[in-house]
Amino acid sequence: LWGIALYAWGAYDSFFFPKPRLEAYMNPTAILTGEVYFVANKGFDPKDEKERIRQLVISKAAAMGVNYRLALEIAKRESGFVSDVCNFKYGCKSGQGIYQIVNSTLKHCEKKLGRKLDVFKAEDNIDCGLWLLKHEGIGHWEPFSGSYKDYVDL
């Protein structure tokens, strides 16, 4: 009976047979349509913070119309998908969070997004990083992290 109830509720397939992570990467719009679930036990391990950040980048990039592969590559190079990190070489004054946002750029994002942002909160850092990527391009990262030309035209 429990199996029937879970199946009717729609949790049976995703609870017992989680969607593969690759599906999320290959089909970013699926996250927004519900084919790949962005909740605990439905698509990824909720204890895996780096995976949660990857999923956030994919879903927010798809929603904003930003190249999600480029957005993922920048986040990977800048922070390794860690939200509470400072620049590895020069400290917090040279970059903070997933997209290594500096204070002046954070203030710029706050003005453009119309709200206060916490640079170490994953959602806020991703919002700022993706807004910059969409409206100002890769110039905020390319001089420091190498070329992204393999990801720009995807």
Side-chain angles (χ1 to χ4, degrees):
L1 237 122
W2 280 105
I4 294 169
L6 285 171
Y7 183 77
W9 183 51
Y12 183 80
D13 67 328
S14 57
F15 184 80
F16 294 102
F17 306 103
K19 305 276 184 182
R21 290 179 183 179
L22 180 61
E23 184 178 343
Y25 295 113
M26 299 310 290
N27 189 5
T29 56
I31 292 170
L32 303 176
T33 63
E35 294 171 26
V36 177
Y37 300 99
F38 184 64
V39 294
N41 295 323
K42 294 184 178 183
F44 69 96
D45 181 356
K47 296 177 196 149
D48 187 348
E49 180 65 10
K50 289 183 179 184
E51 183 63 21
R52 184 183 83 82
I53 290 170
R54 284 184 196 98
Q55 296 287 335
L56 274 172
V57 169
I58 292 168
S59 61
K60 285 178 174 277
M64 291 180 70
V66 173
N67 178 334
Y68 78 96
R69 289 188 179 117
L70 177 59
L72 282 172
E73 184 63 21
I74 293 171
K76 178 182 165 187
R77 290 186 194 184
E78 293 296 322
S79 66
F81 302 107
V82 177
S83 62
D84 60 350
V85 67
C86 288
N87 183 283
F88 301 120
K89 193 171 183 180
Y90 301 109
C92 286
K93 290 184 179 181
S94 296
Q96 303 170 351
I98 297 161
Y99 283 101
Q100 291 295 286
I101 307 294
V102 295
N103 288 334
S104 59
T105 304
L106 180 67
K107 291 182 190 327
H108 177 66
C109 281
E110 288 176 338
K111 182 179 176 183
K112 295 296 182 180
L113 294 171
R115 62 185 171 93
K116 190 85 172 140
L117 300 173
D118 178 353
V119 75
F120 291 115
K121 183 178 175 191
E123 292 81 358
D124 288 348
N125 198 290
I126 292 169
D127 287 344
C128 180
L130 293 178
W131 187 92
L132 292 168
L133 188 57
K134 181 174 184 169
H135 297 282
E136 299 181 7
I138 59 175
H140 287 276
W141 300 280
E142 196 165 44
F144 309 103
S145 298
S147 176
Y148 290 100
K149 67 178 181 172
D150 294 339
Y151 300 90
V152 173
D153 294 323
L154 294 175

PDB file of all heavy atoms in Angstrom, residues 112-138:
ATOM      1  N   LYS A 112      22.340  47.228  -9.285  1.00  0.00           N
ATOM      2  CA  LYS A 112      21.663  46.723 -10.484  1.00  0.00           C
ATOM      3  C   LYS A 112      20.521  45.756 -10.155  1.00  0.00           C
ATOM      4  O   LYS A 112      19.499  45.747 -10.834  1.00  0.00           O
ATOM      5  CB  LYS A 112      22.662  46.028 -11.422  1.00  0.00           C
ATOM      6  CG  LYS A 112      23.695  46.966 -12.002  1.00  0.00           C
ATOM      7  CD  LYS A 112      23.031  48.007 -12.878  1.00  0.00           C
ATOM      8  CE  LYS A 112      24.044  48.929 -13.524  1.00  0.00           C
ATOM      9  NZ  LYS A 112      23.412  49.941 -14.367  1.00  0.00           N
ATOM     10  N   LEU A 113      20.707  44.933  -9.117  1.00  0.00           N
ATOM     11  CA  LEU A 113      19.678  43.969  -8.747  1.00  0.00           C
ATOM     12  C   LEU A 113      18.636  44.566  -7.797  1.00  0.00           C
ATOM     13  O   LEU A 113      17.601  43.952  -7.552  1.00  0.00           O
ATOM     14  CB  LEU A 113      20.314  42.726  -8.116  1.00  0.00           C
ATOM     15  CG  LEU A 113      21.185  41.882  -9.060  1.00  0.00           C
ATOM     16  CD1 LEU A 113      21.939  40.814  -8.289  1.00  0.00           C
ATOM     17  CD2 LEU A 113      20.343  41.259 -10.155  1.00  0.00           C
ATOM     18  N   GLY A 114      18.937  45.728  -7.234  1.00  0.00           N
ATOM     19  CA  GLY A 114      17.991  46.425  -6.378  1.00  0.00           C
ATOM     20  C   GLY A 114      17.776  45.807  -5.012  1.00  0.00           C
ATOM     21  O   GLY A 114      16.696  45.915  -4.439  1.00  0.00           O
ATOM     22  N   ARG A 115      18.803  45.144  -4.496  1.00  0.00           N
ATOM     23  CA  ARG A 115      18.691  44.547  -3.161  1.00  0.00           C
ATOM     24  C   ARG A 115      20.062  44.332  -2.543  1.00  0.00           C
ATOM     25  O   ARG A 115      21.072  44.345  -3.239  1.00  0.00           O
ATOM     26  CB  ARG A 115      17.930  43.226  -3.211  1.00  0.00           C
ATOM     27  CG  ARG A 115      18.599  42.151  -4.044  1.00  0.00           C
ATOM     28  CD  ARG A 115      17.710  40.907  -4.136  1.00  0.00           C
ATOM     29  NE  ARG A 115      18.199  39.944  -5.082  1.00  0.00           N
ATOM     30  CZ  ARG A 115      19.003  38.921  -4.793  1.00  0.00           C
ATOM     31  NH1 ARG A 115      19.400  38.736  -3.556  1.00  0.00           N
ATOM     32  NH2 ARG A 115      19.377  38.085  -5.735  1.00  0.00           N
ATOM     33  N   LYS A 116      20.083  44.166  -1.251  1.00  0.00           N
ATOM     34  CA  LYS A 116      21.315  43.904  -0.512  1.00  0.00           C
ATOM     35  C   LYS A 116      21.731  42.456  -0.758  1.00  0.00           C
ATOM     36  O   LYS A 116      20.889  41.555  -0.777  1.00  0.00           O
ATOM     37  CB  LYS A 116      21.066  44.140   0.980  1.00  0.00           C
ATOM     38  CG  LYS A 116      22.300  44.140   1.808  1.00  0.00           C
ATOM     39  CD  LYS A 116      22.932  45.506   1.785  1.00  0.00           C
ATOM     40  CE  LYS A 116      24.075  45.537   2.784  1.00  0.00           C
ATOM     41  NZ  LYS A 116      25.208  46.268   2.287  1.00  0.00           N
ATOM     42  N   LEU A 117      23.023  42.237  -0.969  1.00  0.00           N
ATOM     43  CA  LEU A 117      23.540  40.896  -1.237  1.00  0.00           C
ATOM     44  C   LEU A 117      24.566  40.501  -0.186  1.00  0.00           C
ATOM     45  O   LEU A 117      25.335  41.348   0.286  1.00  0.00           O
ATOM     46  CB  LEU A 117      24.200  40.844  -2.618  1.00  0.00           C
ATOM     47  CG  LEU A 117      23.334  41.178  -3.826  1.00  0.00           C
ATOM     48  CD1 LEU A 117      24.180  41.240  -5.083  1.00  0.00           C
ATOM     49  CD2 LEU A 117      22.210  40.172  -3.990  1.00  0.00           C
ATOM     50  N   ASP A 118      24.582  39.226   0.152  1.00  0.00           N
ATOM     51  CA  ASP A 118      25.611  38.649   1.021  1.00  0.00           C
ATOM     52  C   ASP A 118      26.546  37.856   0.125  1.00  0.00           C
ATOM     53  O   ASP A 118      26.160  36.827  -0.438  1.00  0.00           O
ATOM     54  CB  ASP A 118      24.967  37.750   2.068  1.00  0.00           C
ATOM     55  CG  ASP A 118      25.971  37.075   2.999  1.00  0.00           C
ATOM     56  OD1 ASP A 118      27.196  37.185   2.762  1.00  0.00           O
ATOM     57  OD2 ASP A 118      25.526  36.435   3.969  1.00  0.00           O
ATOM     58  N   VAL A 119      27.768  38.324  -0.022  1.00  0.00           N
ATOM     59  CA  VAL A 119      28.712  37.728  -0.968  1.00  0.00           C
ATOM     60  C   VAL A 119      29.007  36.259  -0.658  1.00  0.00           C
ATOM     61  O   VAL A 119      29.352  35.486  -1.550  1.00  0.00           O
ATOM     62  CB  VAL A 119      30.014  38.569  -1.046  1.00  0.00           C
ATOM     63  CG1 VAL A 119      30.876  38.364   0.176  1.00  0.00           C
ATOM     64  CG2 VAL A 119      30.780  38.271  -2.310  1.00  0.00           C
ATOM     65  N   PHE A 120      28.854  35.852   0.616  1.00  0.00           N
ATOM     66  CA  PHE A 120      29.129  34.464   0.980  1.00  0.00           C
ATOM     67  C   PHE A 120      27.883  33.571   0.946  1.00  0.00           C
ATOM     68  O   PHE A 120      27.971  32.380   1.187  1.00  0.00           O
ATOM     69  CB  PHE A 120      29.784  34.388   2.360  1.00  0.00           C
ATOM     70  CG  PHE A 120      31.179  34.947   2.366  1.00  0.00           C
ATOM     71  CD1 PHE A 120      31.485  36.069   3.102  1.00  0.00           C
ATOM     72  CD2 PHE A 120      32.187  34.348   1.623  1.00  0.00           C
ATOM     73  CE1 PHE A 120      32.769  36.589   3.108  1.00  0.00           C
ATOM     74  CE2 PHE A 120      33.469  34.862   1.611  1.00  0.00           C
ATOM     75  CZ  PHE A 120      33.763  35.978   2.355  1.00  0.00           C
ATOM     76  N   LYS A 121      26.737  34.139   0.646  1.00  0.00           N
ATOM     77  CA  LYS A 121      25.516  33.344   0.473  1.00  0.00           C
ATOM     78  C   LYS A 121      25.478  32.894  -0.988  1.00  0.00           C
ATOM     79  O   LYS A 121      25.510  33.719  -1.899  1.00  0.00           O
ATOM     80  CB  LYS A 121      24.280  34.176   0.819  1.00  0.00           C
ATOM     81  CG  LYS A 121      23.000  33.403   0.734  1.00  0.00           C
ATOM     82  CD  LYS A 121      21.814  34.265   1.137  1.00  0.00           C
ATOM     83  CE  LYS A 121      20.535  33.488   0.922  1.00  0.00           C
ATOM     84  NZ  LYS A 121      19.362  34.354   1.051  1.00  0.00           N
ATOM     85  N   ALA A 122      25.397  31.599  -1.197  1.00  0.00           N
ATOM     86  CA  ALA A 122      25.491  31.042  -2.546  1.00  0.00           C
ATOM     87  C   ALA A 122      24.519  31.685  -3.520  1.00  0.00           C
ATOM     88  O   ALA A 122      24.913  32.083  -4.626  1.00  0.00           O
ATOM     89  CB  ALA A 122      25.268  29.525  -2.497  1.00  0.00           C
ATOM     90  N   GLU A 123      23.275  31.813  -3.133  1.00  0.00           N
ATOM     91  CA  GLU A 123      22.262  32.358  -4.036  1.00  0.00           C
ATOM     92  C   GLU A 123      22.587  33.786  -4.461  1.00  0.00           C
ATOM     93  O   GLU A 123      22.447  34.147  -5.626  1.00  0.00           O
ATOM     94  CB  GLU A 123      20.877  32.311  -3.379  1.00  0.00           C
ATOM     95  CG  GLU A 123      20.339  30.909  -3.181  1.00  0.00           C
ATOM     96  CD  GLU A 123      20.891  30.183  -1.948  1.00  0.00           C
ATOM     97  OE1 GLU A 123      21.748  30.752  -1.229  1.00  0.00           O
ATOM     98  OE2 GLU A 123      20.483  29.035  -1.717  1.00  0.00           O
ATOM     99  N   ASP A 124      23.031  34.617  -3.511  1.00  0.00           N
ATOM    100  CA  ASP A 124      23.363  36.012  -3.822  1.00  0.00           C
ATOM    101  C   ASP A 124      24.599  36.117  -4.710  1.00  0.00           C
ATOM    102  O   ASP A 124      24.631  36.902  -5.656  1.00  0.00           O
ATOM    103  CB  ASP A 124      23.593  36.807  -2.526  1.00  0.00           C
ATOM    104  CG  ASP A 124      22.306  37.064  -1.759  1.00  0.00           C
ATOM    105  OD1 ASP A 124      21.210  36.829  -2.313  1.00  0.00           O
ATOM    106  OD2 ASP A 124      22.409  37.505  -0.600  1.00  0.00           O
ATOM    107  N   ASN A 125      25.623  35.328  -4.412  1.00  0.00           N
ATOM    108  CA  ASN A 125      26.840  35.360  -5.211  1.00  0.00           C
ATOM    109  C   ASN A 125      26.561  34.894  -6.631  1.00  0.00           C
ATOM    110  O   ASN A 125      27.038  35.485  -7.603  1.00  0.00           O
ATOM    111  CB  ASN A 125      27.922  34.504  -4.547  1.00  0.00           C
ATOM    112  CG  ASN A 125      29.310  34.820  -5.054  1.00  0.00           C
ATOM    113  OD1 ASN A 125      29.624  34.517  -6.197  1.00  0.00           O
ATOM    114  ND2 ASN A 125      30.122  35.419  -4.215  1.00  0.00           N
ATOM    115  N   ILE A 126      25.751  33.865  -6.763  1.00  0.00           N
ATOM    116  CA  ILE A 126      25.383  33.368  -8.097  1.00  0.00           C
ATOM    117  C   ILE A 126      24.559  34.404  -8.850  1.00  0.00           C
ATOM    118  O   ILE A 126      24.802  34.647 -10.035  1.00  0.00           O
ATOM    119  CB  ILE A 126      24.634  32.023  -7.987  1.00  0.00           C
ATOM    120  CG1 ILE A 126      25.590  30.931  -7.495  1.00  0.00           C
ATOM    121  CG2 ILE A 126      24.006  31.635  -9.320  1.00  0.00           C
ATOM    122  CD1 ILE A 126      24.908  29.637  -7.090  1.00  0.00           C
ATOM    123  N   ASP A 127      23.608  35.039  -8.176  1.00  0.00           N
ATOM    124  CA  ASP A 127      22.809  36.086  -8.825  1.00  0.00           C
ATOM    125  C   ASP A 127      23.703  37.202  -9.359  1.00  0.00           C
ATOM    126  O   ASP A 127      23.538  37.654 -10.493  1.00  0.00           O
ATOM    127  CB  ASP A 127      21.782  36.671  -7.863  1.00  0.00           C
ATOM    128  CG  ASP A 127      20.626  35.725  -7.577  1.00  0.00           C
ATOM    129  OD1 ASP A 127      20.447  34.744  -8.334  1.00  0.00           O
ATOM    130  OD2 ASP A 127      19.894  35.969  -6.594  1.00  0.00           O
ATOM    131  N   CYS A 128      24.656  37.627  -8.553  1.00  0.00           N
ATOM    132  CA  CYS A 128      25.577  38.687  -8.968  1.00  0.00           C
ATOM    133  C   CYS A 128      26.454  38.212 -10.124  1.00  0.00           C
ATOM    134  O   CYS A 128      26.574  38.891 -11.143  1.00  0.00           O
ATOM    135  CB  CYS A 128      26.435  39.128  -7.782  1.00  0.00           C
ATOM    136  SG  CYS A 128      27.617  40.442  -8.172  1.00  0.00           S
ATOM    137  N   GLY A 129      27.047  37.020  -9.972  1.00  0.00           N
ATOM    138  CA  GLY A 129      27.916  36.487 -11.020  1.00  0.00           C
ATOM    139  C   GLY A 129      27.209  36.312 -12.350  1.00  0.00           C
ATOM    140  O   GLY A 129      27.729  36.670 -13.400  1.00  0.00           O
ATOM    141  N   LEU A 130      25.999  35.792 -12.307  1.00  0.00           N
ATOM    142  CA  LEU A 130      25.248  35.579 -13.549  1.00  0.00           C
ATOM    143  C   LEU A 130      24.769  36.888 -14.155  1.00  0.00           C
ATOM    144  O   LEU A 130      24.747  37.031 -15.381  1.00  0.00           O
ATOM    145  CB  LEU A 130      24.067  34.629 -13.309  1.00  0.00           C
ATOM    146  CG  LEU A 130      24.444  33.188 -12.955  1.00  0.00           C
ATOM    147  CD1 LEU A 130      23.197  32.365 -12.690  1.00  0.00           C
ATOM    148  CD2 LEU A 130      25.293  32.552 -14.030  1.00  0.00           C
ATOM    149  N   TRP A 131      24.412  37.853 -13.311  1.00  0.00           N
ATOM    150  CA  TRP A 131      24.027  39.158 -13.841  1.00  0.00           C
ATOM    151  C   TRP A 131      25.224  39.786 -14.559  1.00  0.00           C
ATOM    152  O   TRP A 131      25.080  40.304 -15.677  1.00  0.00           O
ATOM    153  CB  TRP A 131      23.531  40.088 -12.718  1.00  0.00           C
ATOM    154  CG  TRP A 131      22.984  41.364 -13.293  1.00  0.00           C
ATOM    155  CD1 TRP A 131      21.701  41.620 -13.634  1.00  0.00           C
ATOM    156  CD2 TRP A 131      23.742  42.529 -13.660  1.00  0.00           C
ATOM    157  NE1 TRP A 131      21.596  42.876 -14.188  1.00  0.00           N
ATOM    158  CE2 TRP A 131      22.842  43.462 -14.215  1.00  0.00           C
ATOM    159  CE3 TRP A 131      25.082  42.884 -13.578  1.00  0.00           C
ATOM    160  CZ2 TRP A 131      23.231  44.713 -14.682  1.00  0.00           C
ATOM    161  CZ3 TRP A 131      25.482  44.127 -14.038  1.00  0.00           C
ATOM    162  CH2 TRP A 131      24.566  45.033 -14.581  1.00  0.00           C
ATOM    163  N   LEU A 132      26.395  39.723 -13.933  1.00  0.00           N
ATOM    164  CA  LEU A 132      27.601  40.263 -14.561  1.00  0.00           C
ATOM    165  C   LEU A 132      27.893  39.553 -15.879  1.00  0.00           C
ATOM    166  O   LEU A 132      28.216  40.195 -16.885  1.00  0.00           O
ATOM    167  CB  LEU A 132      28.793  40.129 -13.620  1.00  0.00           C
ATOM    168  CG  LEU A 132      28.774  40.992 -12.372  1.00  0.00           C
ATOM    169  CD1 LEU A 132      29.858  40.537 -11.394  1.00  0.00           C
ATOM    170  CD2 LEU A 132      28.957  42.460 -12.723  1.00  0.00           C
ATOM    171  N   LEU A 133      27.792  38.240 -15.869  1.00  0.00           N
ATOM    172  CA  LEU A 133      28.068  37.457 -17.071  1.00  0.00           C
ATOM    173  C   LEU A 133      27.105  37.810 -18.198  1.00  0.00           C
ATOM    174  O   LEU A 133      27.518  37.999 -19.346  1.00  0.00           O
ATOM    175  CB  LEU A 133      27.993  35.964 -16.739  1.00  0.00           C
ATOM    176  CG  LEU A 133      28.438  34.990 -17.804  1.00  0.00           C
ATOM    177  CD1 LEU A 133      29.871  35.252 -18.239  1.00  0.00           C
ATOM    178  CD2 LEU A 133      28.304  33.567 -17.282  1.00  0.00           C
ATOM    179  N   LYS A 134      25.843  37.959 -17.870  1.00  0.00           N
ATOM    180  CA  LYS A 134      24.836  38.267 -18.892  1.00  0.00           C
ATOM    181  C   LYS A 134      24.985  39.683 -19.435  1.00  0.00           C
ATOM    182  O   LYS A 134      24.885  39.905 -20.643  1.00  0.00           O
ATOM    183  CB  LYS A 134      23.436  38.081 -18.318  1.00  0.00           C
ATOM    184  CG  LYS A 134      22.345  38.369 -19.333  1.00  0.00           C
ATOM    185  CD  LYS A 134      20.971  38.061 -18.820  1.00  0.00           C
ATOM    186  CE  LYS A 134      19.957  38.287 -19.924  1.00  0.00           C
ATOM    187  NZ  LYS A 134      18.642  37.773 -19.574  1.00  0.00           N
ATOM    188  N   HIS A 135      25.218  40.650 -18.558  1.00  0.00           N
ATOM    189  CA  HIS A 135      25.189  42.059 -18.964  1.00  0.00           C
ATOM    190  C   HIS A 135      26.562  42.667 -19.246  1.00  0.00           C
ATOM    191  O   HIS A 135      26.642  43.653 -19.975  1.00  0.00           O
ATOM    192  CB  HIS A 135      24.465  42.891 -17.907  1.00  0.00           C
ATOM    193  CG  HIS A 135      23.033  42.496 -17.741  1.00  0.00           C
ATOM    194  ND1 HIS A 135      22.051  42.881 -18.630  1.00  0.00           N
ATOM    195  CD2 HIS A 135      22.420  41.730 -16.814  1.00  0.00           C
ATOM    196  CE1 HIS A 135      20.898  42.377 -18.246  1.00  0.00           C
ATOM    197  NE2 HIS A 135      21.088  41.673 -17.144  1.00  0.00           N
ATOM    198  N   GLU A 136      27.621  42.086 -18.679  1.00  0.00           N
ATOM    199  CA  GLU A 136      28.950  42.679 -18.849  1.00  0.00           C
ATOM    200  C   GLU A 136      29.974  41.717 -19.420  1.00  0.00           C
ATOM    201  O   GLU A 136      31.119  42.095 -19.635  1.00  0.00           O
ATOM    202  CB  GLU A 136      29.414  43.273 -17.520  1.00  0.00           C
ATOM    203  CG  GLU A 136      28.479  44.385 -17.039  1.00  0.00           C
ATOM    204  CD  GLU A 136      28.914  45.019 -15.724  1.00  0.00           C
ATOM    205  OE1 GLU A 136      30.018  44.711 -15.224  1.00  0.00           O
ATOM    206  OE2 GLU A 136      28.135  45.837 -15.205  1.00  0.00           O
ATOM    207  N   GLY A 137      29.593  40.481 -19.627  1.00  0.00           N
ATOM    208  CA  GLY A 137      30.490  39.518 -20.263  1.00  0.00           C
ATOM    209  C   GLY A 137      31.496  38.885 -19.325  1.00  0.00           C
ATOM    210  O   GLY A 137      31.437  39.049 -18.110  1.00  0.00           O
ATOM    211  N   ILE A 138      32.458  38.187 -19.919  1.00  0.00           N
ATOM    212  CA  ILE A 138      33.420  37.407 -19.137  1.00  0.00           C
ATOM    213  C   ILE A 138      34.637  38.205 -18.687  1.00  0.00           C
ATOM    214  O   ILE A 138      35.534  37.660 -18.054  1.00  0.00           O
ATOM    215  CB  ILE A 138      33.876  36.149 -19.908  1.00  0.00           C
ATOM    216  CG1 ILE A 138      34.512  36.540 -21.238  1.00  0.00           C
ATOM    217  CG2 ILE A 138      32.736  35.183 -20.102  1.00  0.00           C
ATOM    218  CD1 ILE A 138      35.089  35.380 -21.998  1.00  0.00           C
TER     219      ILE A 138
END
